[in-house]
Amino acid sequence: MDVLRPTLIKIGGRVYRKNLIQEQAYQHEEEEAEDFCAGPGDCADEPCDAFVVEETEKGFQCRVEVPSPLYKYIIGKKGETKKRLETETRTSISIPRPGVEGEIVITGQHRSGVISARTRIDVLLDSFRKKQPFTHFLSFALNQPAIQEKFLQFKEEVLEKCSKDHGVSSSLFQNPAKLHLTLGTLVLLNEQEIQKACDLLQQCKEDFVDQIAGGKPLTVEVAGVEYMNDDPAMTDVLYAKVHMKDGSDRLQVIADQLVERFVASGLMLKEWDRVKLHATVMNTLFRKDPSAEERNNTMTSKSSFKERESFNGRNILKLFENFYFGEVQLDSVRLSQRFSLDASGYYATSGQL
């Protein structure tokens, strides 16, 4: 990062500069500890309505709910980050014990100091939350028996006709029980955040999903294959395309509005203007780890791409360009849990509409 042009972060309608300093992370993890200075409109200099500051007998107090996995980023190595925040803002910061869910409580004699500490904690949490691997994702399940059967036929024919192409092997194929459409990924770090996502999903159903769907399942066709990157000879992800059988855009509208609502709630990061509806059928991430989860290109680290062995997908694209995987009735959106499966072999569901 250019120190003369630091990254700007918007929180609560205000803009903050992010200044990077290197230090060893808490509990020997290799992380970057970050210090933040408020930019124009510093809350320390004027009233701030983004959060509640209570007046007490001893001064002022502010409470903030923080998932326990993020405590360590506020504490820092040997408590250095916490001590620095307290010293620079002239406040006292109380943090629950590791693993115990609760509130971080900021107290101080001056309201401006409490606001400054809270603002800096929010910026720290926002930065480190973005570094957490996603835990859940919104999905449409496509693992109906008829689709699974056609997928297995696709796999058999690809291996029969294209197994000599560079990088093509049986290890690249998706588990048929996990076939799905991903709408967006979430980082949910405790039961409260999971419940918040479930409640929002139900609210979306009442607000617009039922109306758009007409109260009936959406009939979708899964047909044709496409690749993610620019060079079909160096393919990492091959996916099946989906479209509404009636030719409407209702599935796309529901997907886009769901993501928009979850982004607005702060539960999801905005990645694209529109959801790219696709069902992964081959992925080079599966080559070394058959249980690897589907990742969007923007969520896969550069190091992961270096470790991936791409495959030549030209013949597959030519021979199976219009392969018909079948028709499916989509009747629910699921809040699916990563790395956890139900009895059917699909991802465990934390909530659904």
Side-chain angles (χ1 to χ4, degrees):
M1 181 177 71
D2 190 335
V3 296
L4 298 179
R5 289 176 292 182
T7 302
L8 299 179
I9 298 178
K10 292 184 179 180
I11 294 182
R14 299 175 184 275
V15 180
Y16 301 92
R17 300 189 303 270
K18 181 169 75 171
N19 298 327
L20 190 66
I21 59 175
Q22 301 287 339
E23 68 176 32
Q24 293 182 349
Y26 181 68
Q27 291 185 342
H28 308 293
E29 293 187 6
E30 293 184 358
E31 293 279 359
E32 290 178 339
E34 293 165 330
D35 188 25
F36 299 87
C37 299
D42 186 347
C43 281
D45 298 325
E46 58 182 88
C48 182
D49 299 325
F51 37 77
V52 177
V53 177
E54 301 173 335
E55 187 169 4
T56 67
E57 294 180 357
K58 297 182 179 180
F60 296 87
Q61 177 177 278
C62 183
R63 298 174 177 270
V64 52
E65 290 188 7
V66 178
S68 59
L70 297 181
Y71 293 166
K72 60 187 177 184
Y73 300 117
I74 306 303
I75 298 171
K77 181 191 175 185
K78 297 181 180 180
E80 291 175 1
T81 301
K82 176 174 175 290
K83 291 176 185 176
R84 186 172 67 249
L85 285 171
E86 290 177 324
T87 300
E88 294 179 358
T89 61
R90 297 182 181 180
T91 59
S92 175
I93 301 172
S94 175
I95 301 175
R97 295 192 308 275
V100 177
E101 298 297 336
E103 295 179 319
I104 289 179
V105 182
I106 308 165
T107 56
Q109 294 184 353
H110 302 284
R111 186 174 188 272
S112 60
V114 172
I115 289 175
S116 178
R118 169 62 191 270
T119 300
R120 294 176 68 174
I121 286 174
D122 282 351
V123 177
L124 277 170
L125 294 174
D126 179 73
S127 175
F128 284 113
R129 178 180 282 275
K130 290 176 181 178
K131 296 180 181 180
Q132 305 300 311
F134 74 88
T135 61
H136 294 73
F137 58 99
L138 295 182
S139 72
F140 285 107
L142 297 178
N143 61 344
Q144 286 81 344
I147 299 290
Q148 290 193 51
E149 183 177 344
K150 290 293 290 183
F151 169 78
L152 290 173
Q153 178 188 333
F154 168 78
K155 177 180 178 180
E156 181 180 347
E157 293 184 11
V158 167
L159 292 175
E160 178 184 343
K161 299 175 181 179
C162 306
S163 60
K164 293 183 180 181
D165 293 345
H166 174 76
V168 174
S169 73
S170 61
S171 64
L172 301 180
F173 290 85
Q174 174 67 284
N175 180 336
K178 294 183 178 181
L179 289 167
H180 67 279
L181 302 179
T182 298
L183 305 186
T185 58
L186 307 93
V187 176
L188 306 177
L189 299 177
N190 59 22
E191 291 300 322
Q192 290 86 347
E193 292 188 344
I194 293 173
Q195 187 59 53
K196 182 180 178 182
C198 291
D199 293 343
L200 180 57
L201 196 57
Q202 183 60 38
Q203 189 62 51
C204 289
K205 171 181 170 64
E206 298 172 5
D207 289 350
F208 61 85
V209 173
D210 282 345
Q211 180 180 356
I212 296 173
K216 299 178 181 179
L218 300 178
T219 303
V220 171
E221 289 186 317
V222 185
V225 293
E226 190 56 90
Y227 61 105
M228 282 288 190
N229 51 304
D230 296 329
D231 185 359
M234 297 290 289
T235 299
D236 281 313
V237 176
L238 192 77
Y239 64 91
K241 296 183 286 187
V242 297
H243 62 271
M244 287 288 297
K245 188 175 182 179
D246 63 9
S248 72
D249 64 349
R250 288 184 296 158
L251 178 62
Q252 185 70 55
V253 171
I254 289 174
D256 289 340
Q257 290 195 20
L258 278 169
V259 169
E260 181 180 344
R261 185 69 68 88
F262 271 78
V263 169
S265 74
L267 289 169
M268 186 180 292
L269 295 177
K270 185 177 180 63
E271 294 184 89
W272 310 102
D273 291 334
R274 301 188 74 194
V275 175
K276 185 175 181 64
L277 295 170
H278 67 282
T280 295
V281 293
M282 297 176 69
N283 191 332
T284 55
L285 284 176
F286 301 151
R287 191 188 301 280
K288 292 184 178 180
D289 181 7
S291 66
E293 309 300 308
E294 178 187 9
R295 306 178 190 175
N296 294 329
N297 287 347
T298 56
M299 299 193 65
T300 304
S301 67
K302 293 181 180 179
S303 61
S304 295
F305 274 115
K306 291 178 181 178
E307 296 171 0
R308 298 172 79 157
E309 179 190 348
S310 301
F311 65 94
N312 188 343
R314 285 177 173 172
N315 284 333
I316 298 175
L317 290 162
K318 180 179 180 180
L319 296 173
F320 300 93
E321 179 182 6
N322 298 310
F323 187 89
Y324 188 72
F325 291 90
E327 179 181 304
V328 61
Q329 303 290 318
L330 300 182
D331 58 3
S332 64
V333 179
R334 307 189 188 193
L335 178 64
S336 300
Q337 184 176 343
R338 194 180 185 191
F339 301 130
S340 182
L341 305 178
D342 61 20
S344 73
Y346 191 72
Y347 302 95
T349 300
S350 299
Q352 68 181 57
L353 60 79

